[in-house]
Structure formats: C-alpha cells, structure tokens
Amino acid sequence: MGKVVGIDLGTTNSLVAFVQDGRPVVIRDDNNDPLVPSVVSLGDDGTIFVGREAQRRLLTVPGRTVYSVKRFMGRGIDDVKDEATLLPFSVSGDAGGVMRIGLGDRTFTPPEISAFILRELKYRAEEFFRAQGEFDFEVDRAVITVPAYFNDAQRTATRDAGRLAGLEVLRIINEPTAASLAYGLDQKNRGTIAVYDLGGGTFDISILKVEDGVFQVLATHGDTHLGGDDIDLLLVGDVLREIGGGGPKPMPHEAIQAIRKAVIQAKWDLSEHDAAEIVVAPSSALPGGYRKRLTRAEFEAAIDPLVQRTLEPCRQALADAGLKPGDVDEAVLVGGSTRVPLVRQRVEELFGRKPHSDLNPDEVVALGAAVQADILISGRREMLLLDVTPLSLGIETMGGVVSKIILRNSTIPASGREMFTTGVDNQTAVDVHVLQGERELAADCRSLARFKLRGIPPMPAGLPRIEVRFQIDANGILSVSAHELRTGIAQTIEVKPSYGLTDEEVERMLIESFEHAEADFEARLLIDARNEAESVIVATEKSLRRPDFAELAAAELKAGEREKIDAALGDLRRAMAGDDRAAIQEKTHALNHATQHLAEVVMNRTVRAALAGKTVDEVE
Amino acid sequence: MSRLDDYFTFLGLPRRLSIDMALLEQRFRELSRQYHPDYFYNAPPKERLASLEQSSHLNDAYRTLRNPVSRIEYLLGLEGLQLGGGEGGVPPSLLEEVFALNEELDEIRDAREAGTDPEGLRGRLAAARKPIEDKRDEHERDLQKLSAQWDAQQDRTTLDALRERMLERNYINNLLATIDRETANLEQRTTDNGSRITDNG
C-alpha cells in the first residue's frame, strides 16, 4: 500500500499535507513554497504546465492557460456564460451539459484540468517521500477538500478529478470542517465554533459543536461563486474602464492578465498598508502602462458590498443551528481572503468577538484533510467529524414542484425514501428527476440527474408501489436504489448526470491521459530544471547581498570573479524566460561553476563565525 | 437489508415524548463512534455497507427525535397512526377560520391585481394572520399537554387526540404559508428594481 495524503484543491492555490508522528505537515517544494498555484497551461507541443510555471505563462500565453477552474467544476455552459468574457481561455459546451475549456486546439472538462493539478500535488508528495528515503513512496490515496456549499455535481466532479489523477479518493470533506479538525488538535475540547472560510472563489460558513472529540456540524451555508476572484474582477473592471474601456478594440488578454496581476499585488499590499499602488509595466499590449494610488479606505468602500454578501449566509447558518451570534464561543478564519482587514472587521462585528487566525489560513484546510486521511486509514477513534448536507434533496413532482426528501443540514450519511407508481396500465418505466436546492419549483433548483426506473412488472395503473431510496454518503454524494414492493423486483436505474461525466467518459479520459503522459513528463523535467535554477539564483543573490560582501570580495575573490558571476547570473535569467530545458540546465551549471569558489569562501566564514567564542569541548 | 430497530430503541431511549436531550446527544455521539463509515475503511465490503446503513439510520433517528414535532409524528407512525400525506379536507375545528381567511385572501388578491397600495394590503394580511397564529399557539400548548398525558398513561385516546391535533397543525401551517406567499407577492411588486428580499426570522 502506498502513501495517503490530504489535499486542498483550491481555486487559487492547492496544497498537499500528510501526518507525520501524529502531526499534520504541509509538503513544500525545494524553495520551501507550500502552494501550487491552481493554474494549468498547454504548451505548443502538448506539454502540460502546472503551478508557478503555468502562472508565468498566464502573462505570455493567456489563451492557452486556465486558472480558477474550480469555479467551473460541476457546472454547465449556461452557468458561466456571463463571466466568460473576461476569461483568457474559451469555454464551450452544449446547453444543459458538461462545459469544456478550450486551450489551443484541445478542449478539456474541468475535472481533467483539476486532475492535472492533483497529479502535480501527487508528484510533489512522492518526490518528498522519496527524498525522505521512503521505499514505498507512491501516493495512491487521498482525502480531497471541497467547499461545504458544493452541490452533488461539484463533489462528484472533484471525485472524478481524483480518479483521473490516479488517486483513490478516500473521502471528500468540507473545507471549513477540515479547518476545524486542524484547529481541534490544540484547542480546548468543547464549545461552539463558527468557521468563516473566504477563499479565492468560494465562501462557506459552518457552525460546529465540538464535544468529546466529536466535531458535529450543526449548519452550513455559503456561496460557491464568491471569493477573492470577485475582488480582483471588480478592481480589474475599474482599471479597464479608466484606461479606455468601451473603446472600439477589446483589451488584449495579455494586458488584462497584467492588470489582474497588478491589482492582486495592490490588494495584498493593502492588507499591510494604508495605501498601495497598482502598477502595470508598459508592454506591447498596453504601451502606456498604468499606475494608480489606491487607499485602503477607497479599496474597502469598493469591496464592502462583496463582504456584506458573506454576512447573510452567516446569519442563515446561525438561524438554522438555532443559535444567536452571541452563542458562538469562537470564530475561526480560513482562506486567503480573510487576510483583508475589512473582512476581519465584519466578522468581528457579526460575532461580537475577535476571530481566531492562529494557523496559516492558506494551510489549515490541507492540514485538516491530512488529519482526516489519517483517521480513515488508522481507524483511530479519538476524533470524529460529523458533517451535514448543505442543500435539500428532492424530486420533481406534478406541476414542476419539488418534493423534498432529505432536508439541508441533515447529518450525513443520510437517507430518504419516496414511493412512486405508474400513470398508465402496463407501464414498465418511470422517469424521476432529482434536484438539489431550497426553492419550491424544480426550475429554480439545481438539476442533479434524471433516472429511469425500468423493469416494473406490468400492472394496472397506480398499482405498482416502487420504493426509491436516496442515500447520501459521508462524502455528501448521492446514490439511488429502487425496488417494487409488491413483487420485490429490484429496478435498474440509468443515471444521466445533468452536469457530470458518465463512468464511460471518465474511463476514456483515463486512457487519454496515459497517451499524453510522455508530453507531461517533458513538462515535469522543464519544471524541475526551473526550480533547480531558481534555487541556485536565490543562493547566489543571498551571498552577493551579505553585509560583509565588499570586504570579502576584496580579501578573497580573484580579479574578474564577480563579473563572471554577474554574467552567468544574467545568462541564466535570460534562459529562464524561455522554455528550452537544455539551455536552462546548461546555464544553471555555468552559474554553479562560476560561484563555486564564492560558495566555499562564504561557507568557511560561516563556519568560523559559528565556532568563534566556543570552547573545543563544545565543538566536539 | 437488515431490519433496524425503531428510533427510540436504537438510541436506547424509552418510547416517550419527553426525552432527556442531554442523553440523546450523548447517545448520538457514542453510537456515531460505533457506526460511522470513517472507522470501516479497512473492513470487508459487507461491514462497510452495514456501517453506512446503521449510521444513516442513527442520523435519521437523531434528527427525528431531536425535534418535538417530528418526534410526535414518528411515535404516531410507530403506533400505527400515520398522518398520511393527503389533504383530508378542512378539519372541523378550523372551518370558521378557514372560511374567513379564504374570503379575505380573495379580496386582497383582487385588490392587488387592481393596483391597490401594497402598504394597506400588507396590514390586512398581517391582521388575517393573527387569528391563525393564535390557533397555532393554542395547538402548541395542546400538543405539549397531550404529550405529557401520553407519557403518563400511554393510552389510545391520547394518541388519537395527538393525531387529530397534528393534522390540524399541518393544516394551520399550510394556511400560514399561503399568507406568507401572498405577502411575498406584495413585496415583489414593491421591490421590482432588484433589491433582495430577506426574511428576518
């Protein structure tokens, strides 16, 4: 058996963690970076780039690069048409069916794109275990987190992505609940907790009761289309309007992405400072560049409506839990967007107490996923997570009205039954339309699937009594079974997921992914080469910035040595701008060679400094 | 599929309408620890399936018994007195109120369609709601009294009375929902420019 990990498959960034000696740990890359940007890019030769490399390509080849794919999981083309105009990649698909993302001349479904990210995380973890000297380093099972407010189609799409990445998905768990598990390790062991999770693309609020190590979710609410992305979009829109939006020519995507990068930087800066500058360097797409000062007050005035949109779900979740804001013992902040001071302020106002953010809001969900993965494989029973289904499940009845079978905020696993009969004599099949949502009319709810109950024994109309059983498992995913009560005959059910992939489609994609494995391997080598180059550059720059460098250079470096290092550094940086792996490796090697003597000198000085003032005994 | 015990038995609680909530919570946690699928990952498929069924049953039991109204409904079902889903017509004890309400609602609908000021209509709806709400409160008290009576006597007469009150109660809730829908119709007309309607409970 291979390794088991916990994965936070985020809108903006993804992370992988595992439990080591009873503690969850996030796995970092060689540069100590825990985040894999959730960005995927397709090279001209079919190579797939993921993470930082894909993020770089967003500025140069936006039409072949996709970000925030999580917002499209389990959704149809009709859902995303409105926001598609600002996206650099194209989206397509049949009305009422799975959407597809076009990159260059290929199209991918959102689960396929997500699978590329998962494969990258799997690889990162395997490299880590291999470096630790583990014999069995393969990662074959994972717990993957999703927003609590994800519906059945979105959860199923996430599970499909895991399968496509070659992972057995042990469990899909909710992000806020995962976060509470990570917090629960250290906190006092009882009380009522509100987890406020505002990420890159989604918002969740979960109210939990913790007692005797049982983490019981009382209620959850949220918005699967509200997050940091919306703040960015708002600011990008403002900039575009200012620099000649409404002009005859639409802004090229390269320019939009450069603006997006600049406003994100300004947003980050405004979490630390009272003012920031949005700076877009001049480029062919935007010859004049752009520069504007933004105060925190202006920023907050602009985003307050978005932040306000998170508060109503909080009140709703509290009401569903039968609680008032004052009943909450602790409020916990999760997700990168909770770094925005206005968000913290609004949460504090709502709950009347300062929210907790002791754990890194980017990492806490992955840590919790690792804890849950450990519980599943170890069978340890100290902690137990009891989650709920976020949305009511029902079926369409006469007149397009929804009859609810499992109510929202029911603890999962949960089940429900419904009786069906026939309307015509000798009818042998009945159509069932399953929906998720709180509204009364089927047209206002989310269509999950249409089932056909077949094999009903021929009988006069109204006589058959077909019991259909709906089962929501611990992943929050639905399955359906049926049998006719008079004859005991089990009915077969054909499932046509409304916005999901059929099992056959997943199988076919798996086969395709093997066919592309070679190109992906190339991409991997390029990324490794880049990372290697990056770490040599960082080490070199660190030496050059030493306070004692001038004195060191004068005393110990040969004439022209510094110039050689600078030249090698410049060469490597130029190589890094391209995609030529051989060139990057060659220049990395050259820089390594040029700095070899410098590295020795620095090392000697460090050792001497460390030894200074210590006795011989201490050294030995 | 294995037969599972009734909810009271499954949770180890007496078949009574007044239950010790702290005990219910404690049993729920204990049994969750026993049955939850999390602990059966390495178990054979048969045990995994059983765990899924048992923990679903537990969750359904907990949800049903936690709420006093669904608890009564469930007990009636156990005792062979299903409420049934169909509309059994207007309960005799409500005839007067239902008649008056329907008349008032018809008038309000007509007035709304004729474009009457929604503010005045809202007041009339609130006034029409009042006697129905009073009826509901009366029923709540009745249900509580009858519940205590069942716990003491466990007799058929009390059960029949409980069933009757429950049917009336469902009917009253439908009436209130009708009034709320009508109120929402008014709101929609006054907020046509798209501001969201939120119900402050």
Side-chain angles (χ1 to χ4, degrees), chain B residues 106-137:
Chain B
D106 280 346
E107 276 180 34
I108 291 173
R109 274 188 210 112
D110 288 347
R112 172 165 61 84
E113 262 141 47
T116 310
D117 168 37
E119 201 48 54
L121 295 181
R122 202 170 299 142
R124 282 178 70 177
L125 278 172
R129 207 175 192 281
K130 184 77 175 61
I132 314 287
E133 278 175 4
D134 289 347
K135 263 282 181 217
R136 185 187 56 187
D137 294 347

Side-chain angles (χ1 to χ4, degrees), chain B residues 123-168:
Chain B
R124 282 178 70 177
L125 278 172
R129 207 175 192 281
K130 184 77 175 61
I132 314 287
E133 278 175 4
D134 289 347
K135 263 282 181 217
R136 185 187 56 187
D137 294 347
E138 190 189 315
H139 265 77
E140 297 289 333
R141 286 191 295 274
D142 269 6
L143 280 173
Q144 277 177 25
K145 224 166 52 199
L146 286 168
S147 294
Q149 195 175 311
W150 155 262
D151 284 357
Q153 302 168 203
Q154 287 136 67
D155 59 328
R156 181 75 191 195
T157 321
T158 312
L159 271 188
D160 285 337
L162 272 170
R163 178 169 187 272
E164 201 174 312
R165 288 294 175 284
M166 284 294 288
L167 286 172
E168 287 167 1

Side-chain angles (χ1 to χ4, degrees), chain A residues 122-142:
Chain A
K122 173 170 147 65
Y123 176 82
R124 170 178 289 201
E126 286 174 347
E127 284 303 294
F128 171 84
F129 291 129
R130 199 208 303 260
Q132 282 207 324
E134 299 269 359
F135 172 67
D136 189 8
F137 58 82
E138 197 202 342
V139 171
D140 56 0
R141 288 161 297 161

Side-chain angles (χ1 to χ4, degrees), chain B residues 7 59-74:
Chain B
Y7 292 163
N59 291 337
D60 298 345
Y62 170 69
R63 192 169 49 253
T64 305
L65 296 193
R66 195 173 40 166
N67 176 307
V69 174
S70 57
R71 197 187 307 151
I72 296 173
E73 198 173 330
Y74 181 72

